[in-house]
Structure formats: structure tokens, C-alpha cells
Amino acid sequence: MAWHKLGGLLLCCGAALVQAASDSWREQQYASEIAQTSTLGQAIWLEAEQRRFLSLVTPSDRAEPKGAAILLHDLGEYPDQPTLIHPLRERLARAGWFSIAPQLPLREAGAPALDYLPLFLLASARIQAALDHAREQGITDFAIVGYGWGALMGLYFLDQHPEAPVAAFVAISVPVLDTPHPAGQTLSFLERLQIPVFDFYASLDWPEVKDHARERRVAARANPHYQQLRLDGQSHHYLDDHGMIAQRVYSWLARHAKSAAAMK
């Protein structure tokens, strides 16, 4: 979906979010496709806000995982998204990480990107359910890795749940939106976030990402654990080398996730 072409916001923006419902039919379609095609990890059903949703669990290749990574897919996609999410599931497992990728809420096909903002409350509940499941496996170190709008949903979750046991956050191609909606305030979220943040983007990324890189750096200037990286010659889809992206992610997590937990 070409989410860089932002549509109009249909709901009135106030001080609080009104929770919207996800498109159940689209979620079921994705779940059916994953059941037929996915061979990596295990599909499980979690519950949030009295609704079940699919999540993909990929155990670590090691007996004792280094930690758990919550992988958040891009706008309108699914938890085995070929762009970045599947490669991350595969390579993080090899690097010793347990991961869980929840199905984030969906709007109907073709819905304007900003229409997703009322779904962020539901997305947060699903992220919390994924964290709870990982904690039930006996894992104590947690990180969130979000891609595109998944990164923005992760930022919103962390802003709303500062007590969440998340040690580090990776934001891949996180957009900065032109909206007053409280769920779309990327810069304000970064201003308040104090855990380690790895903000990386592509030189040929969507305008909502690359044109606001400096603003994100400025917003996070009070966070000594914030790092930003631009990958030259790459587009938003990072088609050239998913393996290299995954390696950057787990190498950064190895340096920052546990140390952040120790600081709390």
C-alpha cells in the first residue's frame, strides 16, 4: 500500500482517542494465507479487547534466548510481511532472539493512511498481549522493532505505557505525520522516550520519513541513547539486502537491550 499518499482524517481529533474496530475479514484472509504458506515458527492466537488475533512466534535457536523482540509490521500488512519482517524473524532467531510478530489492526483495503490512527488504541492492546506472552516464556529482556507505521504504533505504545518492560526500541522508517491526531505525534513521542532508540531510514525513503530525519534527531536530543542512521541507496522497501538490515538490528540490540534493562 502506498501510504506515503496521505488521505484526510475522517474522525474528529480530540484530547483522547476513540477506539475503532479492525477489519476482521482482512485479518482472516491474512491468517488463512499464512496458515497455507508460512513454514517459519508457530502461529498462535492471542486476545486483546475481547478479540482474538494472529501472532507468529519464532523461538530462538539457542536454549536460553538473549531476549524477546516484538516485531511490528508496516501499514496494512501482516506479521510475516516479506519486506523486513520475515527476514527479521528468521535472522533474529539465528542470533539468539525469541520474537513474536502480532497482526496489527487493519482498515479496509485502500483506506487512507490517516484512517489508521483511531486503531492505535487497539494496536497498543495487541502489543501488550504480545509482551505478556513473551514474558510467560520466562524471558526478562524485551525490545520492540517497528517498521514504517508499525514503528509509529510502537512509539505510541511506549508513550502510553512508560512502565512497560521494554529495554530498547528500533524504529525503521518511522514517519512524521502532518496531523493533530494524538496518536500521530512522532516528535512528541521521541521527546519523551528515554530508552535506547535506533532510528534508521533509507535515503530514498518516503518523504514522511526522510524529509523529517533532522526533526526526529532534534526531538530526541535529550536522550543520550538515541542513534540515527541513514542507509544510502535504499528505498522504503529495503530490497537490496534484508540480511544486512537484520544484522544491523540484532547487532544494535546486543549492545543496548540488556544495558537498558540494567539502567531501569
Side-chain angles (χ1 to χ4, degrees):
M1 179 179 291
W3 57 261
H4 59 294
K5 297 180 180 177
L6 297 179
L9 184 60
L10 300 181
L11 298 182
C12 177
C13 298
L17 285 177
V18 177
Q19 182 162 303
S22 183
D23 187 323
S24 299
W25 185 85
R26 288 190 71 200
E27 288 198 28
Q28 187 56 52
Q29 288 294 107
Y30 277 147
S32 297
E33 292 175 12
I34 288 171
Q36 295 173 16
T37 62
S38 180
T39 59
L40 178 65
Q42 177 187 9
I44 64 171
W45 292 88
L46 299 177
E47 184 173 319
E49 302 297 331
Q50 300 180 329
R51 279 196 52 188
R52 297 170 71 230
F53 64 95
L54 181 74
S55 295
L56 295 181
V57 169
T58 311
S60 166
D61 287 353
R62 302 183 183 182
E64 294 189 9
K66 295 179 179 179
I70 313 301
L71 305 180
L72 307 178
H73 61 76
D74 204 354
L75 186 82
E77 292 288 347
Y78 56 99
D80 202 30
Q81 180 181 359
T83 304
L84 287 184
I85 300 301
H86 179 89
L88 280 168
R89 293 179 59 221
E90 186 176 39
R91 288 173 169 82
L92 283 171
R94 294 179 189 169
W97 282 79
F98 173 99
S99 72
I100 179 168
Q103 173 65 63
L104 296 172
L106 299 169
R107 290 300 305 266
E108 65 275 10
L114 290 181
D115 286 3
Y116 273 75
L117 292 173
L119 294 174
F120 275 41
L121 277 175
L122 180 55
S124 284
R126 293 187 178 190
I127 295 169
Q128 184 63 61
L131 277 170
D132 290 343
H133 178 80
R135 185 155 39 184
E136 290 167 3
Q137 313 311 306
I139 299 172
T140 57
D141 294 304
F142 305 95
I144 292 177
V145 180
Y147 171 41
W149 274 62
L152 182 52
M153 291 180 182
L155 274 176
Y156 174 77
F157 170 80
L158 291 169
D159 190 72
Q160 296 297 303
H161 299 84
E163 78 290 349
V166 177
F169 178 64
V170 179
I172 305 172
S173 294
V174 63
V176 175
L177 308 180
D178 182 14
T179 175
H181 197 289
Q185 305 307 309
T186 305
L187 301 180
S188 296
F189 300 155
L190 285 171
E191 285 177 0
R192 293 188 285 266
L193 191 59
Q194 291 301 306
I195 64 174
V197 176
F198 188 20
D199 169 6
F200 74 84
Y201 67 102
S203 63
L204 304 176
D205 222 313
W206 300 142
E208 289 75 25
V209 178
K210 65 183 180 66
D211 292 351
H212 298 278
R214 183 179 183 279
E215 294 170 61
R216 297 197 303 276
R217 288 198 308 273
V218 171
R221 64 186 179 277
N223 184 351
H225 311 293
Y226 173 88
Q227 177 184 354
Q228 188 179 78
L229 175 68
R230 185 184 72 182
L231 298 180
D232 291 331
Q234 297 276 359
S235 72
H236 180 77
H237 301 291
Y238 299 94
L239 296 177
D240 291 342
D241 194 345
H242 287 162
M244 179 268 291
I245 304 296
Q247 182 176 353
R248 286 183 182 273
V249 169
Y250 65 68
S251 296
W252 185 86
L253 288 176
R255 295 193 302 274
H256 295 280
K258 288 184 179 296
S259 61
M263 289 188 297
K264 289 190 172 183

